[in-house]
Amino acid sequence: MAAGRGGERPPGPDPALEPYVQTRIFKIIVIGDSNVGKTCLTFRFCGGTFPGKTEATIGVDFREKTVEIEGERIKVQVWDTAGQERFRKSMVEHYYRNVHAVVFVYDVTKMSSFTNLKTWIEECNGHAVPPLVPRVLVGNKCDLKDLIQVPSSLALKFADAHNMLLFETSAKDPQESQNVDAIFMCLVCRLKAQRSLPCRDTEGWPAQPQPHARRLDEASGKSSCPC
Ligand SMILES: Nc1nc2c(ncn2[C@@H]2O[C@H](COP(=O)(O)OP(=O)(O)OP(=O)(O)O)[C@@H](O)[C@H]2O)c(=O)[nH]1
Ligand SMILES: [Mg+2]
């Protein structure tokens, strides 16, 4: 029997008969001093571009990107947080609630943004983020080669001491875009590997134990996805 006008559906399997596939959401927060390039890095990952002009983030900006790994679609929810104290203090609790992974960012051309990492790590630890939630360290603005203040060797030592992977990259340089993607994809791969149950949102999803972070590719000072 033919369907009536307006009641036809496109050819193919009836969606109502297909099994419901849940999309997992991974919440990743990006933390660090103001002006280190957190907004630009999240733009580069989620939108594939470097924003022409940015303003200081107020509170938090959300960006999302859906990625496919081994046939599974995963929604990466990136929380681009404010570096300025006055723009973040009312939001801090929300940043850390049910977070799945943390990206700490410093500016390779500004030593103070590197030395301040201690404070950011303390804040993170102080908000009951389990020590086993994966964390990575990102030195941004590597395109400014003549202005570099933070040597790779120092950053590697710090990353090692805190069981973090280190990425040195540039949100601005289009040739570095794969390296920016690798920061987030590396975390997603690790989260995927350690969590077997599907999940629709981040609320009420407890963190699972996972192996300690490994630092890779010491010689180049850069890291690649370990998966
Ligand atoms: N040369 C260079 N400049 C960059 C890079 N990433 C960001 N910038 C510049 O650094 C400045 C600050 O970038 P944002 O991304 O807004 O910094 P933020 O960390 O989000 O700052 P807050 O929102 O205040 O916490 C802007 O002028 C960017 O254009 C980079 O990789 N290279
Ligand atoms: Mg910002």
Side-chain angles (χ1 to χ4, degrees):
M1 188 169 60
R5 276 173 68 86
E8 290 177 35
R9 60 175 177 79
D14 184 345
L17 300 177
E18 285 180 12
Y20 176 58
V21 180
Q22 291 183 327
T23 303
R24 290 198 281 180
I25 300 176
F26 291 157
K27 170 182 174 180
I28 300 179
I29 58 171
V30 184
I31 299 283
D33 275 11
S34 181
N35 220 44
V36 295
K38 299 181 296 298
T39 295
C40 293
L41 284 167
T42 59
F43 243 86
R44 175 64 81 188
F45 172 65
C46 295
T49 57
F50 181 75
K53 186 172 174 292
T54 57
E55 281 170 9
T57 302
I58 296 173
V60 64
D61 285 330
F62 301 102
R63 301 201 169 83
E64 276 186 356
K65 181 168 174 171
T66 301
V67 299
E68 192 170 321
I69 297 177
E70 292 164 352
E72 182 187 355
R73 282 163 63 83
I74 293 172
K75 198 176 275 187
V76 187
Q77 186 182 78
V78 182
W79 288 46
D80 168 24
T81 71
Q84 285 189 47
E85 178 62 22
R86 64 191 168 128
F87 292 148
R88 70 196 312 278
K89 53 178 178 241
S90 61
M91 290 292 296
V92 177
E93 302 298 327
H94 300 281
Y95 297 160
Y96 292 103
R97 188 176 303 150
N98 295 318
V99 68
H100 296 122
V102 185
V103 178
F104 292 99
V105 185
Y106 66 95
D107 175 348
V108 296
T109 71
K110 197 165 179 201
M111 184 54 92
S112 62
S113 72
F114 179 76
T115 52
N116 284 342
L117 286 168
K118 283 197 302 286
T119 316
W120 295 113
I121 291 171
E122 277 165 19
E123 180 189 90
C124 183
N125 293 340
H127 281 81
V129 175
L132 297 178
V133 164
R135 305 166 183 210
V136 294
L137 183 61
V138 177
N140 188 37
K141 306 196 188 181
C142 282
D143 56 292
L144 301 173
K145 291 186 174 51
D146 297 337
L147 300 175
I148 289 177
Q149 289 185 1
V150 183
S152 296
S153 53
L154 185 63
L156 274 169
K157 215 168 145 189
F158 185 86
D160 216 18
H162 291 86
N163 265 331
M164 289 194 272
L165 290 161
L166 170 68
F167 291 82
E168 290 180 314
T169 193
S170 162
K172 187 173 188 177
D173 181 356
Q175 293 189 334
E176 283 285 316
S177 68
Q178 279 191 336
N179 206 15
V180 174
D181 287 354
I183 298 165
F184 295 93
M185 292 305 284
C186 172
L187 288 170
V188 173
C189 285
R190 291 185 54 202
L191 290 168
K192 178 175 160 58
Q194 71 187 230
R195 291 154 199 270
S196 54
L197 289 174
C199 176
R200 263 193 302 183
D201 61 34
T202 58
E203 294 299 318
W205 191 24
Q208 303 290 313
Q210 50 126 42
H212 277 205
R214 281 183 300 128
R215 178 165 49 73
L216 302 179
D217 197 5
E218 273 193 41
S220 69
K222 295 184 177 179
S223 306
S224 56
C225 180
C227 57

